[in-house]
Amino acid sequence: MKRAVHNKRLEQKIFKEIRKEVLNSWPTGRQVNLKEAINFHHHLPEGKVSPKKLAKGKEKGDIFVQPRAGVALREEQITLLRSFEKAGADFLPTTIDSYTRQNRYEEAELGILESKKLGRSMLNGYPAVNEGVWKCREIIESTKVPVEIRHGTPDARLLAEITMAAGFTDFEGGGISYNIPYSKNISLEESISNWQYVDRLVGWYQENGAIINRESFGPLTGTLVPPSISHSVSIIEALLAAEQGVKSVTLGYGQCGNLVQDVAAIRSLTSLAEEFLSDFGYRNILITTAFHQWMGGFPKNEARASGVISWGAVAGSLAKANKIISKTVHEALGVPTKEANISGIKITKQIVNMLKDQEFFSREALEEEIRIIKEETRCILKKVIELGKGDIAIGTILAFKEGFVDIPFAPNRFNVGKVLPVRDNNGAVRLLNPGNLPFTKEILNFHRIKIEERAKRENRRASLQMVIDDIYAIGKGMLVGRPRTGESYED
Amino acid sequence: MKRAVHNKRLEQKIFKEIRKEVLNSWPTGRQVNLKEAINFHHHLPEGKVSPKKLAKGKEKGDIFVQPRAGVALREEQITLLRSFEKAGADFLPTTIDSYTRQNRYEEAELGILESKKLGRSMLNGYPAVNEGVWKCREIIESTKVPVEIRHGTPDARLLAEITMAAGFTDFEGGGISYNIPYSKNISLEESISNWQYVDRLVGWYQENGAIINRESFGPLTGTLVPPSISHSVSIIEALLAAEQGVKSVTLGYGQCGNLVQDVAAIRSLTSLAEEFLSDFGYRNILITTAFHQWMGGFPKNEARASGVISWGAVAGSLAKANKIISKTVHEALGVPTKEANISGIKITKQIVNMLKDQEFFSREALEEEIRIIKEETRCILKKVIELGKGDIAIGTILAFKEGFVDIPFAPNRFNVGKVLPVRDNNGAVRLLNPGNLPFTKEILNFHRIKIEERAKRENRRASLQMVIDDIYAIGKGMLVGRPRTGESYED
Amino acid sequence: MPARQGEMEKIALVIGVIGADVHAIGNKILEDAFSQAGFKVVNIGVLSSQKEFIQAAIKSKAQAIIVSSLYGHAEMDCSGMRQRCIEAGLDNILLYIGGNIVVGKQRWEEVEARFKELGFDRVYPPGTSPSKAIKDLREDLKMESKGYKNGGWR
Amino acid sequence: MPARQGEMEKIALVIGVIGADVHAIGNKILEDAFSQAGFKVVNIGVLSSQKEFIQAAIKSKAQAIIVSSLYGHAEMDCSGMRQRCIEAGLDNILLYIGGNIVVGKQRWEEVEARFKELGFDRVYPPGTSPSKAIKDLREDLKMESKGYKNGGWR
Ligand code: B12
Ligand code: B12
């Protein structure tokens, strides 16, 4: 069913109509019983409820650690999560497989069967929809800390219905961040509208006393995404969620690699979100941040990979993010084993703990960087609001069309894809081609100067080759993709 | 032979007399032929000569990486070193076994035999003296970068003779740093005098056109040693070396764990050394720094250990040390395997490379910390100079006697051992008991206030228990040893 | 005397990312790499089905189909592909695959064997540089002897 | 009624670090731990020979010798130690050892067996907490039944 998209709370009547369709789209949908679900949520111990744990942690200044993980079979998934809990994970994940993300449940079914037959996971995640409410609930019942659904699903309505009914209290994604990097042909109208449904469902739980956290997927394509672009997306998704009644939002951000930029990004993110939420009159919303350790290409060598993981833990700790999402030493190879994932958690925990009492930042450099990020984000968001005449949903759709919001390297055809990022001489991500981003002359100049500095140092023109070098750089042991130096690097 | 110790260049005549004794103390001593050795050094390619590589690196701002490693058998040692070189080590080590360090060559011989018999290394290092000049030289001939002798030998005269004749161009240690933490009954008179011999030998090579670097062992007991104490020792050793004609010194420093303190320590170290060397009129000396990754107790878990290694790499990189000495994930367990050592190198390299283009420090905090370290170090060194009436050797011996220089936790009975360090609330190492360190009231106050802050936060008195908690802390995954928090930590 | 490149018609390749896979970065780089190496590249992008690969290959008269799969489901997504190529009349078309083609870290020899079994001519482990595939293409398509110059890529 | 601790004479232990080993930190902590647990601790420190351990034990009438070795040479340093204890008349003295007692990371079962072979009653892997040894001492010396109260350490 197609609807014109506005940033307006979904009416109960329409919500119910759509709901029927959603729950009928796959047999397990019929297992959803909201009354029973609310009751189950009410009886969850506090430590298992994500927004409660986040609120407490925020107050105490805790930095939580959460891995990613999903396998085809439930028993294995439970074993995984339990071992992560033992290893010190503060939040647990259930990562959904790629067929489910594309609503291809038949293929997911095949994946489950194949996995059982071959005795190894043939799916890159947990097929929660095929499993249904009761099987998913076993996961909640076998763990002691909040479990979040992590995925990448443009249309996550059924997934949300099933997993929230099962007792999950945290749900990642949004109409932009789970569409543009994750699909090719799906329009923003469609995905935003579908995610309004998800947010409304969360709002509905909220109104019935069951609070669920919503998290934006800040890293987007994971590849050289400048903070202001991902901040804009996260804040738009927070505004969209707030309108539907969501009261707890986590804003995601993917490490860029330059420490000043990363610390500035996390510190500016909360204050920007507060600014815009309050401008729009949304009150009493718990805002937290999630810092993703490096989301781009990893080194294959495991020692090098643990260096990258550690560096993420350092940046997340010094930035004082509320949560760090950990990577593993198998990142460049394939879905990690339990052991690899545990080691990612432990590396991260070790660093978080060693750094939690330390303050360290260069005030001037940091303030400059914060100023830039804030100004850029405001440029983008003001444009969005202007285009939508105050309606953020409409504004977003129009802004993407014009490339005023534009996500580097995204596969989706509704993304203009003109923006080309590149690192500056200190490794901060800047814009080689700003595309149509609605930045001021001053900002555009700032980027140009920063990139020029690097070009000069490297004695070459800033070009696509420089971008490609940067994409490979961390995988090859560097941050900045310098022209080949002859350093003979061996894995 | 006992001599009264002064900080005066050893006369050639006396040097020669001692030399006979030294070379006769074990059969391999007779292999040393200085003329042949000088000739060999002259023909070493530049890349294999430590001071040359250090000078170049310092100019370019390189941060070099060096592991530690020594095994009983030469073939294995060579295999080890070659694999480190391949893994990216910029400097190589040859770590000497503990019998050799105590001049117990008979036991070292037994260790070699047992190792051959059992097919596994029964020694914790390479027995270079027993091996002799020609076998040691095989090491130099099979590698392409400078190799340093790392040990912990109060009387290293024969070791120096043999390894320098073999072609090693870097030699760690000093009359204080290789005595106080490494022996029980050896006086400073004895060790300083023996190390004057070593320095004179280096001076002699220097005068004959073969430059060799001398490195102080900054970490001392590796356990909560405040920067000003280790800086004082490093600078004294640099002064003693300079007097004997050494022209290239590396000053060592062991990571404390608090980033501001560690960065401040490295930045102050070079400038302090320049200050004192020039005060005493020693000119044209190349000064570089070596940053040791955490030297105290490590976590047993390998993932956690890689977190600690990474944190050391981060601190060393941000401090811009000239060289980082890497640890391994086997640290808490035993002498590392080749693989563990390589992973330590790679973790470190990955981080060094990712950070090398980044500047990041809080100016105010850093400057305050630099000021404190400098003032403390000056207090100590001025006292030493005063006591020795300008003679740094005599002053050192007297100062140790009075506890004006005092190394925490050292086993040597000529060390007063009153000083008790503890971490402050941000994890910087401060003094719970300053013993007789000749600090100003202001400085003593500063320490008191810092520690009080922590005591208050932890709601307990600052006591020995707090120190013990700190000693265990990093091994248990923390930096500051907080009273038990109930965090259930699993390895 | 062999014709010089540029005067000769370029050899066409179809590239794309198969199945429900959206990993777009490597695909963009491969397009750049194969183009620079002198091929005519038809890039059907991410989320592509077997059918889309085959249709594009027919339309462009491609001599090779280069499948990327990063997300781990390649075994399922590629099953029957060689058969469908033959049915569509692409009897001799080269089939290459690379990326992170299985779920998790597995023994490479076994993985390679499974994909050879599925009909792929060349199977590449994680992180293989595009230049490797370019070299193999030149060999498998006997381009040297047909007078194609080496385009080269980084 | 058993006497209360404090009124009873404390049981003496000799502790020290054997061989050419200078690791002093753990030794200082062990001294503190065993003292707090109610033992009379004779600490001969680092760089101690078998002979020094045995003489100290004779002099202090110790019921146990607690050897630390951190640096990896314990196998060589401890060879013949049980024999020498017996020769010195310390027939029933307990011998414990702990620290990092072999070179490198080795299979613990084998290491333990080798040291049991050397005559040690208890052999501890790296990083064992002092409290473990205290518990074992209380057991091996039947201190409970002799009325010694549990001193406890952290
Ligand atoms: C960035 C990234 C993402 C981004 C992608 C954004 C986008 N739209 O492009 C986001 C965050 C959205 C993402 C999502 C997911 N990802 Co992802 N992702 C990565 C990551 C970190 C880097 C990929 C990358 O861009 N590398 C840089 C480019 C230049 O390299 P490349 O992709 O490897 O491509 C090169 C080579 O593979 C080679 N190549 C490719 N094809 C071919 C073909 C031939 C013939 C030859 C010779 C060579 C060749 O050449 C390319 C150019 O040099 C990798 C891990 C890594 N490599 O470090 C994981 C990884 C690929 N992702 C993975 C997974 C599982 C997912 C998710 C399912 C989420 C999850 N469960 O974690 C979703 C899948 C969504 C979907 N439906 O596809 C797994 C795949 C696991 C496996 N195979 O066992 C990986 C390996 C991570 C891991 N270890 O778990 N991901
Ligand atoms: C600090 C340190 C040093 C300092 C010591 C300063 C000093 N004078 O004390 C310095 C830098 C000088 C040093 C030197 C060397 N060290 Co060191 N050092 C360490 C380190 C990092 C920490 C030790 C420590 O203080 N830990 C904190 C204390 C509280 O813990 P602990 O020592 O383990 O003691 C506790 C337990 O072991 C246990 N315990 C000890 N004895 C007993 C006995 C019983 C019965 C029980 C129940 C328990 C018990 O209780 C203690 C208190 O909790 C360790 C590695 C590690 N553990 O992380 C290496 C380590 C011990 N050193 C090692 C080596 C080899 C050396 C050197 C030979 C240099 C080299 N080749 O690297 C020299 C040796 C010099 C010599 N002649 O002895 C190796 C030993 C290797 C092996 N066994 O295979 C280690 C394990 C590092 C490594 N992995 O290579 N070292």
Side-chain angles (χ1 to χ4, degrees), chain A residues 88-100:
Chain A
D90 305 294
F91 283 76
L92 291 172
T94 287
T95 303
I96 304 302
D97 74 283
S98 291
Y99 292 134
T100 302

Side-chain angles (χ1 to χ4, degrees), chain A residues 158-214:
Chain A
L158 183 55
L159 180 66
E161 285 279 5
I162 285 177
T163 55
M164 289 177 201
F168 285 80
T169 58
D170 210 333
F171 199 80
E172 197 192 33
I176 305 162
S177 66
Y178 267 8
N179 177 7
I180 303 297
Y182 285 98
S183 82
K184 190 156 76 169
N185 289 316
I186 298 172
S187 71
L188 281 162
E189 282 86 343
E190 209 179 315
S191 60
I192 289 182
S193 147
N194 289 335
W195 275 90
Q196 285 178 321
Y197 179 100
V198 172
D199 286 332
R200 187 66 211 100
L201 183 64
V202 173
W204 189 89
Y205 271 90
Q206 173 79 35
E207 285 137 32
N208 286 278
I211 38 172
I212 290 170
N213 185 61
R214 286 274 295 105

Side-chain angles (χ1 to χ4, degrees), chain A residues 240-252:
Chain A
L240 291 168
E243 175 62 29
Q244 302 300 327
V246 172
K247 289 292 179 196
S248 174
V249 293
T250 299
L251 305 164

Side-chain angles (χ1 to χ4, degrees), chain B residues 99 124 184 302 332 465 469, chain D residues 46 71 73 77 100 105 154:
Chain B
Y99 293 134
N124 58 16
K184 190 156 76 169
E302 297 188 9
Q465 187 57 49
D469 291 342
Chain D
V46 302
Y71 76 151
H73 294 183
D77 295 336
N100 299 67
K105 193 178 162 185
R154 290 166 18 108

Side-chain angles (χ1 to χ4, degrees), chain B residues 148-344:
Chain B
E148 180 176 19
I149 296 291
R150 309 194 74 92
H151 45 133
T153 313
D155 176 4
R157 295 172 299 174
L158 183 55
L159 180 65
E161 286 278 6
I162 286 177
T163 54
M164 288 176 203
F168 286 80
T169 56
D170 209 335
F171 199 78
E172 198 191 31
I176 306 162
S177 66
Y178 267 9
N179 177 6
I180 303 297
Y182 284 98
S183 83
K184 190 156 76 169
N185 291 315
I186 297 170
S187 71
L188 281 162
E189 281 85 345
E190 211 179 314
S191 59
I192 289 181
S193 146
N194 288 336
W195 275 89
Q196 285 177 320
Y197 178 98
V198 173
D199 286 333
R200 188 64 211 103
L201 184 62
V202 173
W204 189 90
Y205 272 90
Q206 173 78 34
E207 285 138 32
N208 287 279
I211 38 173
I212 290 170
N213 186 60
R214 287 272 299 105
E215 180 174 332
S216 71
F217 179 61
L220 301 168
T221 51
T223 306
L224 301 175
V225 179
S228 60
I229 296 182
S230 70
H231 282 17
S232 296
V233 170
S234 282
I235 292 168
I236 292 172
E237 292 187 351
L239 290 167
L240 291 168
E243 175 62 27
Q244 302 300 328
V246 172
K247 289 290 180 198
S248 173
V249 293
T250 299
L251 305 163
Y253 168 75
Q255 178 181 27
C256 278
N258 170 284
L259 190 55
V260 179
Q261 187 173 45
D262 287 329
V263 173
I266 287 294
R267 305 226 174 156
S268 59
L269 185 50
T270 322
S271 74
L272 280 167
E274 275 163 6
E275 177 181 324
F276 281 91
L277 282 167
S278 100
D279 274 7
F280 277 90
Y282 302 116
R283 310 244 173 269
N284 300 324
I285 293 180
L286 175 69
I287 303 171
T288 48
T289 54
F291 183 91
H292 295 249
Q293 291 174 347
W294 179 245
M295 285 293 287
F298 252 66
K300 274 193 289 181
N301 176 272
E302 297 188 9
R304 289 184 177 275
S306 46
V308 177
I309 293 171
S310 298
W311 183 228
V314 168
S317 299
L318 293 177
K320 311 232 174 279
N322 301 104
K323 186 168 85 175
I324 295 177
I325 319 283
S326 60
K327 281 252 162 162
T328 82
V329 294
H330 283 178
E331 179 62 16
L333 296 165
V335 170
T337 55
K338 186 175 82 186
E339 292 69 30
N341 219 323
I342 287 177
S343 93

